[in-house]
Amino acid sequence: MKQKIYIIKIGGALIDDERLLDQFLDQFSEIKEKKILVHGGGKLANTLADKLGIEQKMVNGRRITDKDTLDIVTMVYAGGINKNIVEKLQQKKCNAIGFSGADGNLIKAKKREHPEIDFGFVGDINKKSVNKKLVSKFIKLDLIPVFSAITHDRKGNLFNTNADTIASVMAQALSEKYEVELLYCFDKQGVLENVDDPESLIKSISEDDFTTLKEEGKLHKGILPKLENALGAIKNNVNKVFLIKETELKNHIENHHAGTEICL
């Protein structure tokens, strides 16, 4: 029987709110099973870029990462945010250890290729990108890996990589050895048919449901990348995948009914 492990992803809204982050990490630290935390960035990278006069360019909601921007997000994501989370978890007697993908060659990426847009230092990954043997060794040592959204190509380049994708491919890679439950934690109850109505929760979504909802325009554009990564995970042998509200983590772990479940 495979050992259970939770892979939990948190995003910028939570990271930007110190009180909510602390409450979330209280719940995370109480999880008895093996666990990994993946985090994105927050407003700090944009704030720092503004102070330094470095223009931030976005295309279809995706950041163009030039060299100056890469320096900023590396400092903020793999430095300040990552170490702040690790320190808070240590304070809660949770033996965390922080990583970028370059550390131990844990996540190797390729520069994003696009026929029309040069995204700069943006890296794409798949489940083969993950050094699952080394990650498993950390888990066996009862360490809790905390991954930032920075990867590398082993050719001297760091990359900014989508944290939702990191969580998904990490879950896929480890599913060969563990019973993996992937949780995307964000500021909504789950996937909502009406983003302004918390009562419009969709309890489960399959790939067919996703296609229909997308075609009908019922999904907020911000939820689409999460759902695409969630579906990618469930189709690649990840045991369970949920999108839940950040404050519902403990409730979900104990009762298993919060949020939206992603189904085949």
Side-chain angles (χ1 to χ4, degrees):
M1 185 176 177
K2 292 181 178 179
Q3 188 175 23
K4 179 73 177 277
I5 187 169
Y6 287 97
I7 296 177
I8 299 174
K9 190 268 174 178
I10 58 174
L14 181 65
I15 289 165
D16 289 330
D17 190 319
E18 190 168 345
R19 181 183 61 85
L20 283 178
L21 177 61
D22 196 62
Q23 290 175 356
F24 174 86
L25 294 176
D26 277 338
Q27 296 182 54
F28 178 84
S29 65
E30 292 175 7
I31 297 173
K32 300 292 189 269
E33 292 85 357
K34 303 294 187 182
K35 54 201 172 187
I36 291 173
L37 187 64
V38 179
H39 66 83
K43 295 177 183 176
L44 184 57
N46 286 337
T47 301
L48 186 56
D50 287 343
K51 287 181 179 179
L52 295 173
I54 298 170
E55 183 183 359
Q56 297 297 282
K57 298 177 182 177
M58 306 289 285
V59 176
N60 297 326
R62 297 184 182 273
R63 188 189 300 270
I64 303 293
T65 306
D66 59 18
K67 186 63 173 70
D68 288 338
T69 299
L70 177 68
D71 289 342
I72 289 172
V73 297
T74 301
M75 284 188 288
V76 172
Y77 299 171
I81 292 174
N82 188 266
K83 299 314 166 194
N84 180 56
I85 290 172
V86 169
E87 187 278 328
K88 285 181 180 295
L89 286 172
Q90 290 291 349
Q91 189 179 27
K92 300 174 192 304
K93 307 297 186 287
C94 191
N95 199 12
I97 181 169
F99 296 113
S100 72
D103 297 300
N105 190 33
L106 286 168
I107 308 173
K108 185 179 175 184
K110 290 184 178 180
K111 177 180 164 61
R112 175 169 296 165
E113 296 180 359
H114 192 280
E116 299 172 359
I117 303 165
D118 182 1
F119 282 94
F121 293 91
V122 171
D124 286 329
I125 57 175
N126 56 48
K127 67 179 181 180
K128 293 182 180 179
S129 305
V130 176
N131 186 341
K132 59 188 177 185
K133 288 184 179 179
L134 186 53
V135 175
S136 295
K137 286 181 180 179
F138 290 127
I139 293 166
K140 285 181 180 178
L141 289 171
D142 288 329
L143 293 167
I144 296 93
V146 179
F147 283 95
S148 66
I150 301 296
T151 59
H152 79 137
D153 64 359
R154 228 178 186 186
K155 297 176 182 178
N157 297 304
L158 293 172
F159 291 114
N160 184 12
T161 297
N162 183 277
D164 288 338
T165 305
I166 290 176
S168 178
V169 301
M170 183 70 62
Q172 293 172 46
L174 294 182
S175 66
E176 297 174 17
K177 187 169 184 177
Y178 296 91
E179 179 189 317
V180 180
E181 182 162 340
L182 172 61
L183 303 178
Y184 286 105
C185 297
F186 66 130
D187 59 355
K188 303 295 182 186
Q189 296 294 336
V191 182
L192 304 178
E193 193 164 346
N194 177 354
V195 72
D196 297 316
D197 180 8
E199 299 299 318
S200 66
L201 176 69
I202 303 171
K203 292 294 291 182
S204 66
I205 291 180
S206 67
E207 187 168 23
D208 288 342
D209 295 330
F210 172 70
T211 301
T212 300
L213 289 164
K214 186 177 178 182
E215 288 174 350
E216 294 175 351
K218 292 183 176 179
L219 295 174
H220 187 268
K221 64 180 182 179
I223 201 69
L224 295 178
K226 276 186 175 53
L227 283 172
E228 289 164 354
N229 279 297
L231 285 163
I234 204 71
K235 289 192 293 185
N236 282 278
N237 301 315
V238 175
N239 189 250
K240 292 181 179 179
V241 183
F242 288 85
L243 281 73
I244 68 172
K245 191 173 177 65
E246 297 145 343
T247 54
E248 290 290 304
L249 179 61
K250 183 176 181 179
N251 177 37
H252 177 80
I253 298 295
E254 292 178 352
N255 302 308
H256 240 87
H257 61 69
T260 301
E261 182 171 12
I262 307 303
C263 309
L264 287 172

